[in-house]
Amino acid sequence: QVQLVESGGGLVQPGGSLRLSCAASGIIFSTMGWYRQAPGKQRELVATITRSFSTNYADSMKGRFTISRDNAKNTVYLQMNSLKPEDTAVYYCNIGGTGGYWGQGTQVTVSA
């Protein structure tokens, strides 16, 4: 059984930082990613990383967000810096793209 367990969300002020973690079990994964969904909006890609550490980012996250992984721990991370109110969303961990496996989501709220 595939499980993705996310952690690290919360409330942060604009300009602040958060680090999300996603621990995977039940699958040997290749590409993992983070997506997010803000209220009233479609789910969108944040970033992906392959098992060989090749990364891809949505344009609006480049330079602020960093995706990384620890293959030994089956864990993927998302370091988010210089957070903006428009980054407020539920962030989802993913394996296998939009037709693959999803975590339960973790809320990130950026507000003063």
Side-chain angles (χ1 to χ4, degrees), residues 5-103:
V5 180
E6 299 132 335
S7 61
L11 173 64
V12 63
Q13 292 187 342
S17 298
L18 281 175
R19 188 191 194 208
L20 306 182
S21 300
C22 173
S25 62
I27 188 171
I28 297 175
F29 55 90
S30 55
T31 298
M32 292 193 72
W34 289 95
Y35 289 70
R36 70 184 187 184
Q37 188 166 19
K41 295 188 177 181
Q42 290 188 332
R43 192 172 297 189
E44 63 175 348
L45 173 72
V46 174
T48 61
I49 184 167
T50 68
R51 192 167 180 83
S52 58
F53 308 108
S54 177
T55 59
N56 178 57
Y57 294 91
D59 287 343
S60 61
M61 285 62 145
K62 287 180 180 177
R64 299 189 301 122
F65 292 6
T66 302
I67 190 170
S68 61
R69 67 192 286 166
D70 184 331
N71 289 338
K73 295 182 178 180
N74 282 358
T75 299
V76 64
Y77 306 95
L78 184 68
Q79 177 67 42
M80 303 185 293
N81 299 327
S82 301
L83 283 162
K84 306 173 182 179
E86 52 263 43
D87 294 317
T88 296
V90 178
Y91 285 70
Y92 295 92
C93 180
N94 170 267
I95 292 176
T98 54
Y101 300 95
W102 296 92

